[in-house]
Amino acid sequence: MEQGSAREGARPAYAPEAFPYAPGDGARVPQDRVPEQARGRQGEEERARGEHTHSEPPAPRAVRRHSVRGQILDALRAALVDGELVPGQVYSAPALGARFGVSATPVREAMQRLAVEGAVEVVPNRGFRVTERGPRELAELAEVRALIEVPVMLSLARTVPAHRWSVLRPLAEATVAAAAVGDRAAYAESDRAFHRAVLTLSGNEQLVTIADELHRRSQWPLVAGPATRRAELLADAAEHTALLDALIAQDLTVVQALVREHFAGADG
């Protein structure tokens, strides 16, 4: 279930310890975190020393850049869920790039993707503002998700054999593990993974894609919302394991009650 709130007492957005490879910390930066210009200079030095051979061609630049953008996109999404990117605040790509130790370009590309998803909005000549959301939007997202997922789960409960549900046990347990330590970002990711795996059994890829996008949007923090307590995360995670148990037992009455309760809480 999603944590539609900003964490009280959270560390400042993009605190240095959140990004251990920031410039100047003395740590060795992985190649996919090294800015592109720096990689170019390093490659020239290696060629001058004869360290590049025909059997070790350099990776295509476009692949490395995509990897950097993907890593930054994942980190920004986690920061949104964790409340480190504050609703209503404006963040510039160069400033965030400095935190990551990369140029502004991959940060800007990741932010553009978040803008398409509705997580941020473009502020000309300034950067990107984190979207401000209220309880009504969260409730509407939960309603739409329930309209999509509840009938699909009920249909799957009638047709999918027990052994196929049992394979999903580690995913349900992962949500419990993340909740137990109060890691909201990890919980959000494992929560979506569990729901994706359940819906994938329908064989409808379009349904899975749409449901996952709605799920991700419902995880963004509310404006000045209450912090999600660890006990609440644990209760939400317990619903995943209880639902899986009911699906394995093909107990349709319990399945229906659990999935409706799951979405009524507007969190999972």
Side-chain angles (χ1 to χ4, degrees):
M1 292 191 179
E2 293 66 60
Q3 307 77 45
S5 61
R7 182 174 56 191
E8 295 176 355
R11 63 181 181 273
Y14 291 97
E17 63 268 20
F19 304 106
Y21 298 112
D25 64 1
R28 178 171 177 80
V29 181
Q31 280 299 301
D32 56 4
R33 293 283 185 92
V34 176
E36 194 170 54
Q37 292 179 346
R39 288 198 299 269
R41 290 195 298 271
Q42 179 177 337
E44 292 173 0
E45 293 170 359
E46 291 174 347
R47 285 191 294 272
R49 295 193 301 266
E51 292 178 2
H52 274 296
T53 67
H54 292 295
S55 62
E56 297 177 333
R61 180 168 301 184
V63 173
R64 287 200 301 267
R65 179 169 170 178
H66 177 76
S67 176
V68 172
R69 183 186 65 177
Q71 291 180 37
I72 294 175
L73 180 59
D74 289 343
L76 290 174
R77 283 171 170 164
L80 279 167
V81 172
D82 225 19
E84 293 177 3
L85 285 177
V86 182
Q89 293 293 316
V90 177
Y91 299 88
S92 72
L96 293 177
R99 291 285 188 178
F100 283 105
V102 299
S103 71
T105 299
V107 177
R108 189 174 291 111
E109 291 172 345
M111 280 294 202
Q112 291 288 356
R113 174 58 188 171
L114 291 176
V116 171
E117 295 176 0
V120 301
E121 56 185 13
V122 178
V123 181
N125 302 319
R126 292 184 61 194
F128 301 85
R129 178 184 291 111
V130 179
T131 302
E132 299 181 88
R133 306 184 317 128
R136 178 174 179 177
E137 181 178 347
L138 188 64
E140 290 174 348
L141 285 167
E143 181 180 1
V144 175
R145 287 187 60 212
L147 290 172
I148 295 174
E149 294 192 40
V150 171
V152 173
M153 288 188 185
L154 290 175
S155 176
L156 292 174
R158 298 184 180 94
T159 57
V160 175
H163 72 273
R164 297 191 67 185
W165 292 120
S166 297
V167 175
L168 307 187
R169 178 71 65 185
L171 296 177
E173 293 174 346
T175 67
V176 176
V181 296
D183 189 335
R184 296 195 302 165
Y187 180 83
E189 189 63 35
S190 59
D191 181 24
R192 287 202 321 278
F194 176 78
H195 282 262
R196 279 198 306 270
V198 170
L199 296 177
T200 296
L201 294 175
S202 71
N204 189 326
E205 295 182 3
Q206 299 304 314
L207 181 147
V208 174
T209 299
I210 293 172
D212 189 59
E213 180 63 25
L214 291 170
H215 197 162
R216 186 189 299 281
R217 290 179 60 189
S218 67
Q219 293 175 329
W220 301 335
L222 293 172
V223 176
T228 303
R229 298 186 180 91
R230 184 180 304 182
E232 294 172 327
L233 290 182
L234 284 169
D236 295 344
E239 291 181 357
H240 291 146
T241 56
L243 174 59
L244 191 58
D245 289 339
L247 289 167
I248 292 173
Q250 292 189 319
D251 190 332
L252 300 184
T253 301
V254 174
V255 168
Q256 182 169 351
L258 283 172
V259 292
R260 294 195 182 282
E261 179 181 350
H262 200 52
F263 286 103
D267 287 328

